[in-house]
Amino acid sequence: MSAADRSYLNIALIVIAIVTAVRVAVLILSPLDLYPDEAQYWWWAQNPDWGYFSKPPLIGWIIWLTTAFFGDAEWAIRIGSPLLHAVTALLVFGIARRVFDARVGLFSALAYLTTPGVSYSSGLISTDVPLLLCWAVALYAFLRAMDDPRWRWAVLAGIAFGFGLEAKYAMFYLVLCAGIAAILSKDARRVVLSGRGAAILVIGLLLLLPNVLWNAAHHFPTVAHTEHNADWSAAKFKLSETLSFIGGQFGVFGPVLMIGLLLAFWKLARDPQRPAKDLVLLAFCAPPLVLIIIQSFIAEANANWAATAYVAATPLAVAALMRVWHARLLWISFALDGLVMVALWLILVSPPFADTIGVGNAFKRMEGWRQLGTAVAERADGGHYAIISAANRSIMAELLYYAAPRTAFVRMWDKDLHDDDHFQMTLRLTPPAHRVLMVLSPQEAPFVLQSFDSNALLDTVTI
């Protein structure tokens, strides 16, 4: 590495370290409760396994590790997110440096770190965080394998592929992306259509095998859940959903960076002398976007479902913006995304600020759970209940975390004895249940209470 490249890397390291330190401090200071999915992942971490109902196990392992070191506070559950995003930003530097140069690498790392999606994601823990890290490792190793015939890079790519599959099955997009890269680039083709390409696939699938065996032993719940999320059986074919998803991508990636990505696509489409590694980035970016756009038209798609696209998209967009208007558009992007990042920090530290700027609705599911949990735990102990039960996955997850200390077991009420979530699969309420403290929303009460011989309203908690 040249002195200039090392200088750019050092700047990237310093800025990433500062931003990450602030993000960790914000997590420690934040009064926001766990989001229901976060509470569920924390419960998974109490029971490390090779799989869970709706996701592969890596998210549970990460939370198990961070809470083993730091305890079970909300910030300790979430701290893996800013730390892993920091490592991913460094990998984006490496990816951009190999395709373009270290200057583009610096700006790409900082652009990734400050995209609205990453800024939001750094305030909570989700399966996308390790997925993006594994995707970045796999892409970096793939690019290195294109230049270096040694097996170390193929092995690293295979390990990243396997751990990515243990984070989220969206990692399978990598196979499609590598195949398209092989069509577009002879250097990529030498990797994919060789023993090294086969090794990447085999290593990844071997690392996934324990999760496959776990699924087989539990009647493949994760596969069924993934299919249910796609929901093709209830196809809507609504253009409005597609436009909504595309609009959401401008919010996730940042509006100016998205303009830069579209410019990069346009340039690659028109340039007859397209650089091979630019095309590889295109191959690792476009397929997830296209697939999820199609998914959004058929049924629906969450804005984060195409997240893997933005690891390769960031260097492409940054390089395109650096060529426009003397890179002023890139600095406008940094200013806008930086403003969003600071606003999110203020919201995490002082949630009422979200209402002040009109985005309080986005954070409403991260408030009130501690209050509910405390009230339930006190009522359960005071009434000598052996079982606390909920009929809602979100409430169930939050009670497991916040209804403490408690002497009662927490169990999930189920209307049809069919496993619809992890709690119904592992913590189902079963007869005989003589005295159960049910925690219900008003909407749930009518159809839940009729399954009991008798019931009485004990208390109402208004949040």
Side-chain angles (χ1 to χ4, degrees), residues 145 149 151 154 187-201:
W151 279 78
D187 293 331
R189 193 153 52 246
R190 280 199 295 267
V191 176
V192 173
L193 301 180
S194 70
R196 291 182 296 158
I200 294 171
L201 184 63

Side-chain angles (χ1 to χ4, degrees), residues 309-325:
Y310 296 117
V311 172
T314 302
L316 284 173
V318 167
L321 291 174
M322 289 177 70
R323 301 187 191 103
V324 177
W325 199 22

Side-chain angles (χ1 to χ4, degrees), residues 31-32 346-360 363 367:
L32 286 173
L346 292 173
I347 290 169
L348 289 174
V349 173
S350 179
F353 182 67
D355 293 317
T356 302
I357 61 175
V359 295
F363 297 88
E367 295 184 284

Side-chain angles (χ1 to χ4, degrees), residues 156-407:
L156 179 59
I159 292 171
F161 177 46
F163 275 98
L165 291 172
E166 295 286 13
K168 202 171 181 179
Y169 293 156
M171 192 71 188
F172 271 121
Y173 295 150
L174 191 84
V175 177
L176 174 62
C177 294
I180 293 175
I183 295 172
L184 298 176
S185 163
K186 65 178 183 180
D187 293 331
R189 193 153 52 246
R190 280 199 295 267
V191 176
V192 173
L193 301 180
S194 70
R196 291 182 296 158
I200 294 171
L201 184 63
V202 170
I203 292 171
L205 293 178
L206 284 175
L207 287 172
L208 180 64
L209 182 60
N211 178 251
V212 173
L213 295 176
W214 180 92
N215 266 277
H218 294 81
H219 310 292
F220 292 97
T222 318
V223 177
H225 176 79
T226 303
E227 182 182 349
H228 174 75
N229 277 350
D231 200 22
W232 282 17
S233 61
K236 300 175 183 176
F237 302 109
K238 293 178 67 174
L239 183 60
S240 60
E241 291 286 345
T242 303
L243 294 175
S244 176
F245 173 78
I246 293 172
Q249 300 315 291
F250 281 81
V252 169
F253 193 45
V256 182
L257 278 178
M258 185 59 76
I259 291 171
L261 181 61
L262 295 175
L263 287 173
F265 286 169
W266 176 253
K267 180 180 181 298
L268 287 172
R270 299 187 65 197
D271 186 358
Q273 304 296 324
R274 295 182 288 268
K277 288 183 178 176
D278 289 40
L279 292 175
V280 171
L281 287 187
L282 175 67
F284 278 82
C285 167
L289 278 172
V290 171
L291 286 175
I292 304 303
I293 287 172
I294 294 171
Q295 163 66 31
S296 69
F297 177 68
I298 295 174
E300 61 180 18
N302 293 334
N304 67 310
W305 285 6
T308 54
Y310 296 117
V311 172
T314 302
L316 284 173
V318 167
L321 291 174
M322 289 177 70
R323 301 187 191 103
V324 177
W325 199 22
H326 304 289
R328 289 189 181 93
L329 275 179
L330 180 60
W331 288 105
I332 291 172
S333 177
F334 281 131
L336 291 175
D337 293 349
L339 186 64
V340 171
M341 181 173 66
V342 172
L344 286 168
W345 288 346
L346 292 173
I347 290 169
L348 289 174
V349 173
S350 179
F353 182 67
D355 293 317
T356 302
I357 61 175
V359 295
N361 197 51
F363 297 88
K364 68 179 181 180
R365 296 188 72 194
M366 299 169 74
E367 295 184 284
W369 296 113
R370 182 180 297 277
Q371 180 183 344
L372 175 65
T374 300
V376 170
E378 290 175 352
R379 172 63 73 170
D381 287 348
H384 305 292
Y385 288 92
I387 296 175
I388 301 169
S389 184
N392 176 290
R393 181 182 66 88
S394 296
I395 294 175
M396 179 75 178
E398 300 287 0
L399 290 179
L400 285 166
Y401 184 78
Y402 285 112
R406 63 176 183 270
T407 57

